[in-house]
Amino acid sequence: MEATREIYWNVGHGVVLPMYLLTLVAVAACCYGIYQRVEVYRQGKELNRLDALGERIPFLLKNLFGQAKVLRVSGPGFPHGLFFWGFVTLFIGTLLVMLQADLTQPLFNVVILKGSFYRFYSLALDLAGAAAFLMLLGLMLRRFVYRPEGLKITRDDYLMHGLLTAIIFTGFLAEGVRIAVTELRMNPELARWSPIGMFVANQFSAQDEVSLRQLHTLWWWGHLLLVLGFIVSIPWSKFRHLITTPANYLFTDLRPKGSIATINLEEEGVEQFGVEKVSEFSWKDIFDADACTSCKRCQDRCPAHNTEKPLSPMKVVQQVGELAFGNPDKSLIETVGNDALWSCTTCRACQEICPADVEHVNKIIEMRRNLVLMQGEFPGEEVMVAVNNVEVNGNPFGLAYAGRGDWTEGLDVQILSEGGADVDVLYFVGCYASFDKRNQEVAKSFVKICNAAGIKVGILGKEEKCCGEPVRKLGNEYLYQMAAQENIELINGYGIKRIVTTCPHCMNTLGRDYLDLGLDAQVEHYTVFIDRLLKEGTLVLDERQFDYTYHDSCYLGRYQDIIQQPRDILHVAGGRINEMQKSEKESFCCGAGGGRILAEEKLGNRINVKRVHMAEATGAPVLVSNCPFCLTMFEDGIKTGECEGKLKARDLAEIVVERLQPAADLSAVLDTFLPTGIPQVEEAPAADAEPEAGAEPVSAETEKARETTGISGVNGKDAA
């Protein structure tokens, strides 16, 4: 007998019309529900997320059919992926049945499901159904029996798991009863190509044909009605993520990671900055709430939530949805809570791991903007002092402009205002490396590395201002733009085209945010800079073995995807790494991001101490970082976490400078390093020799202040 089967066996072709009518009703109900939700999304402001479809569609296909983001957490991700692929296979199988029964066979007398293809089809669908059923059971055990801490159960969870289980179960029952009457008795060889169906058929083989046909009719209609119920329930339950999550892949933010909208502060008629109500968000921010699957991956990785602070990124997204659909006029800031908003370190761990591509961080920043620009609120008095210092003195410590380059004494470094801009690179030093004694050692190390490589390095000295990143992340867009415009005008005026920073926060701000305001220069972090010099042979290190653990700073690892270069440098230097449990893209924040470096940590436990204890657990004696904020936090965390004598915090530049060897002739590699040429500026713009209003005069008091405070930062340490 030919390998095939009769479509609509037992139920007859008379079911086709009512089946399609019921399906049409179910689809119409689903579309109506989706339309109602779209109307809620439209409360938000316009935003174009359908440009560059050539990038968006591949991203959608990769993450939908490849389950790439879901599989990043293998525990629940793997069964979810198998379930998805199994369900997709069953759906394709159903479409093939419809294609043959309602199109190719009645119109063209073409039978698709026959012969070897039918055997493969039967086997594939049975195995796909079995995989989907088993993975669903596994996900149910995780959800209802071995539930991870913080994973909540809702009515939707019972509906989703119950309905999917019933759909697969009734499908196998209908198949098994059909096989019991047909293939098991007349073509047992074919039945073996449906192993699950044959197993079910054997359980019913003793019953008479009349009873089996009645059972088949019951299970067939039951299966159909369950499927129709599933279609209807999509917009009214968490099933909607079947549509919203893939759509969110299509609507992904194609800007560089961490990009923030630059407010036009000069726009006339604007009376509102930031977000207080959901209608002040974009439609995409509201849509994110429907795309969220409540998997709590973001919450699990949030450093604030993990140190007993009142912030859950998942909850913030859900609160946006709750107000959008329930009470859009209510204050979102009051609902979320000021303490939760100020607890965020903008580390981006939430967004990096989200399987639905939800955008958490900018929602928090927009609400902070409203708190600062509209309500004049800050997380503490110490932050107000630091912000005022940035405005008056160009740094959060309140120290004089003129002392910003004092650390360069005795070093071969060009201060641009004193000798023009005939340099290979501009070193944008940043506030901590300029004023904090501990981080000044990092700055000195970097300059020595440049000197050893024959790279002429310059700094802005007293003309440099804070890049504005901490105050911007706290919501003060006005002060950020004021500082940024001054820095940009200065850098562009000198004709600088290449900038290197030792601060990932400065790097992200200058290299990405400043582009919106007119900076015309390439910005690079010193780890990438040094790694290239080593690989070109411009730098040579004396390898000395040492054990260390390495901290991937959030603004270098997650924001810039710079993971391997620092490790390569340390390997060349003789380092043997002991990775922390949370490293690379999963790295745990030091606690200083999002402007938190300027704020006391008053709630919960200290983030930096938790991270230091992770480093201590590796057994390595050295904790290497690449960021002045991280180094500052670790120095403090080692003290307050009682790790002194067990762990020492060091910057990567300090390790490199200790191992420098004289380099060979550098002229051959300089063109490779600077392919666009070295900017030559014969005359630098005239620099104002007098300090700006509000700045302290250059005096012994400045040096005394440094010696007294050490300028170790404001976050839980000696405030300058």
Side-chain angles (χ1 to χ4, degrees):
M1 296 180 64
E2 186 177 27
T4 188
R5 72 177 175 89
E6 179 186 349
I7 307 299
Y8 301 126
W9 174 85
N10 188 50
V11 294
H13 284 266
V15 303
V16 174
L17 181 59
M19 178 183 70
Y20 277 111
L21 287 175
L22 289 172
T23 301
L24 184 62
V25 171
V27 171
C30 178
C31 291
Y32 175 70
I34 293 172
Y35 168 77
Q36 287 189 311
R37 304 196 79 82
V38 169
E39 288 298 298
V40 175
Y41 307 151
R42 286 178 176 167
Q43 293 178 81
K45 298 178 180 178
E46 291 185 5
L47 179 68
N48 183 11
R49 284 293 179 87
L50 286 176
D51 59 324
L53 289 176
E55 293 181 61
R56 297 182 181 279
I57 292 174
F59 184 80
L60 161 65
L61 296 177
K62 172 187 174 182
N63 286 287
L64 174 58
F65 295 109
Q67 295 282 283
K69 282 182 169 286
V70 172
L71 291 171
R72 286 196 59 188
V73 180
S74 58
F78 182 71
H80 184 282
L82 280 180
F83 173 79
F84 171 80
W85 293 319
F87 215 77
V88 167
T89 302
L90 293 174
F91 180 69
I92 293 172
T94 302
L95 292 180
L96 286 175
V97 168
M98 293 172 58
L99 181 65
Q100 174 179 305
D102 306 320
L103 183 64
T104 65
Q105 191 169 8
L107 296 181
F108 308 107
N109 198 29
V110 174
V111 176
I112 301 172
L113 303 177
K114 66 177 181 178
S116 297
F117 179 76
Y118 177 71
R119 294 187 184 92
F120 171 78
Y121 167 90
S122 298
L123 179 61
L125 261 62
D126 257 38
L127 295 179
F133 189 74
L134 291 174
M135 294 305 103
L136 185 59
L137 290 179
L139 292 170
M140 289 171 66
L141 286 173
R142 177 179 180 269
R143 172 73 61 171
F144 301 114
V145 181
Y146 306 106
R147 185 170 79 249
E149 183 180 355
L151 189 65
K152 296 182 179 179
I153 300 176
T154 65
R155 175 190 62 84
D156 278 3
D157 295 311
Y158 291 107
L159 170 67
M160 290 176 64
H161 289 86
L163 190 53
L164 290 172
T165 301
I167 288 172
I168 297 174
F169 189 68
T170 54
F172 275 129
L173 285 175
E175 179 195 33
V177 172
R178 175 186 61 78
I179 290 175
V181 176
T182 57
E183 297 170 15
L184 201 62
R185 297 178 179 179
M186 295 180 286
N187 194 356
E189 179 65 27
L190 181 59
R192 294 190 181 95
W193 288 92
S194 304
I196 310 301
M198 187 175 70
F199 171 79
V200 175
N202 283 323
Q203 313 310 308
F204 293 95
S205 59
Q207 296 190 34
D208 62 89
E209 184 174 336
V210 174
S211 299
L212 290 176
R213 285 181 176 271
Q214 291 174 344
L215 278 176
H216 178 266
T217 301
L218 175 66
W219 294 128
W220 191 93
W221 277 104
H223 180 72
L224 174 64
L225 293 175
L226 286 169
V227 170
L228 296 178
F230 162 75
I231 295 172
V232 171
S233 69
I234 287 175
W236 316 103
S237 69
K238 283 170 65 176
F239 275 134
R240 59 180 167 267
H241 85 271
L242 296 171
I243 297 173
T244 55
T245 297
N248 227 23
Y249 297 148
L250 187 67
F251 301 146
T252 191
D253 191 350
L254 294 178
R255 299 175 300 172
K257 288 196 291 186
S259 296
I260 306 172
T262 300
I263 300 175
N264 182 359
L265 298 170
E266 304 300 325
E267 186 177 353
E268 295 183 2
V270 176
E271 299 179 355
Q272 174 77 23
F273 294 114
V275 167
E276 183 182 10
K277 298 180 180 179
V278 291
S279 60
E280 292 156 2
F281 274 131
S282 72
W283 65 264
K284 172 62 167 60
D285 291 304
I286 301 173
F287 185 83
D288 274 346
D290 265 1
C292 175
T293 62
S294 302
C295 68
K296 81 179 187 68
R297 291 186 186 184
C298 58
Q299 179 176 287
D300 287 345
R301 286 154 185 80
C302 175
H305 186 83
N306 275 276
T307 51
E308 311 302 323
K309 295 175 180 61
L311 172 63
S312 163
M314 178 181 70
K315 187 176 180 182
V316 171
V317 172
Q318 291 172 344
Q319 287 168 324
V320 172
E322 288 166 6
L323 292 193
F325 285 91
N327 191 357
D329 293 327
K330 185 177 180 181
S331 170
L332 179 61
I333 291 177
E334 290 181 8
T335 302
V336 174
N338 290 19
D339 285 342
L341 293 174
W342 293 128
S343 294
C344 179
T345 66
T346 65
C347 71
R348 211 174 184 275
C350 49
Q351 282 184 226
E352 191 69 32
I353 201 63
C354 179
D357 212 43
V358 170
E359 298 162 25
H360 311 73
V361 176
N362 281 2
K363 293 178 177 57
I364 292 174
I365 291 176
E366 288 295 340
M367 285 185 271
R368 285 181 172 184
R369 281 175 166 176
N370 186 273
L371 283 171
V372 172
L373 299 176
M374 304 303 298
Q375 303 178 37
E377 292 193 24
F378 290 90
E381 290 293 329
E382 75 282 5
V383 177
M384 294 182 67
V385 171
V387 168
N388 183 65
N389 287 337
V390 171
E391 184 172 4
V392 175
N393 291 86
N395 66 79
F397 312 118
L399 296 176
Y401 289 121
R404 200 170 186 110
D406 288 354
W407 60 273
T408 63
E409 185 176 351
L411 294 173
D412 183 9
V413 56
Q414 176 69 55
I415 298 178
L416 268 56
S417 63
E418 298 177 1
D422 183 14
V423 296
D424 297 331
V425 296
L426 170 69
Y427 173 29
F428 192 91
V429 186
C431 297
Y432 271 75
S434 293
F435 293 108
D436 173 43
K437 280 192 171 182
R438 179 66 185 88
N439 279 286
Q440 283 176 352
E441 295 303 312
V442 178
K444 292 175 183 178
S445 297
F446 175 69
V447 170
K448 290 175 184 177
I449 292 167
C450 290
N451 294 161
I455 303 295
K456 292 186 290 184
V457 59
I459 66 169
L460 296 172
K462 65 182 180 182
E463 295 182 308
E464 182 183 297
K465 306 291 191 303
C466 175
C467 71
E469 191 269 350
V471 296
R472 189 183 205 200
K473 294 299 167 61
L474 286 169
N476 196 333
E477 181 75 6
Y478 174 80
L479 181 53
Y480 155 72
Q481 289 196 26
M482 185 173 71
Q485 291 287 10
E486 292 181 19
N487 282 325
I488 291 169
E489 183 177 349
L490 191 66
I491 294 169
N492 287 346
Y494 279 119
I496 296 297
K497 295 300 180 184
R498 293 189 178 274
I499 303 172
V500 179
T501 77
T502 48
C503 176
H505 297 265
C506 292
M507 175 198 177
N508 277 273
T509 303
L510 271 68
R512 292 181 174 177
D513 298 350
Y514 276 23
L515 296 180
D516 289 345
L517 299 174
L519 181 65
D520 181 22
Q522 178 181 329
V523 185
E524 192 170 45
H525 190 256
Y526 80 109
T527 54
V528 177
F529 178 82
I530 293 173
D531 181 58
R532 184 173 62 250
L533 295 179
L534 287 171
K535 288 174 179 174
E536 292 174 344
T538 309
L539 274 181
V540 181
L541 299 185
D542 178 17
E543 182 178 332
R544 302 179 209 163
Q545 288 193 349
F546 67 103
D547 293 319
Y548 74 98
T549 189
Y550 174 73
H551 170 75
D552 293 276
S553 62
C554 306
Y555 275 73
L556 197 67
R558 278 188 286 269
Y559 276 76
Q560 292 283 350
D561 299 317
I562 298 173
I563 300 291
Q564 193 56 43
Q565 294 96 320
R567 289 172 170 80
D568 289 345
I569 295 169
L570 293 166
H571 177 72
V572 172
R576 295 177 300 194
I577 192 168
N578 298 312
E579 292 282 10
M580 284 184 266
Q581 184 179 7
K582 292 182 178 294
S583 62
E584 300 186 3
K585 294 292 184 69
E586 290 274 354
S587 182
F588 195 81
C589 183
C590 75
R596 294 295 311 176
I597 189 68
L598 306 179
E600 292 283 357
E601 194 168 353
K602 301 170 185 175
L603 300 175
N605 304 315
R606 296 185 62 78
I607 296 173
N608 61 336
V609 172
K610 188 176 182 71
R611 185 55 169 168
V612 163
H613 285 161
M614 292 180 189
E616 181 193 16
T618 67
V622 179
L623 169 56
V624 181
S625 64
N626 55 49
C627 169
F629 291 4
C630 296
L631 183 61
T632 300
M633 298 300 285
F634 294 152
E635 291 277 345
D636 176 75
I638 288 171
K639 295 175 184 177
T640 56
E642 300 180 351
C643 292
E644 290 181 288
K646 305 175 187 176
L647 192 64
K648 184 174 179 61
R650 305 206 68 195
D651 189 89
L652 181 144
E654 296 176 304
I655 292 175
V656 171
V657 80
E658 292 173 352
R659 292 160 170 77
L660 286 176
Q661 289 185 2
D665 178 39
L666 308 174
S667 58
V669 296
L670 197 55
D671 288 340
T672 304
F673 166 58
L674 297 173
T676 60
I678 302 171
Q680 302 290 331
V681 179
E682 294 182 1
E683 289 188 22
D688 188 356
E690 295 294 325
E692 295 186 28
E696 299 178 23
V698 183
S699 67
E701 283 78 4
T702 298
E703 186 61 27
K704 183 178 179 181
R706 294 195 187 98
E707 292 175 357
T708 302
T709 65
I711 311 185
S712 296
V714 182
N715 187 331
K717 293 160 284 293
D718 301 325

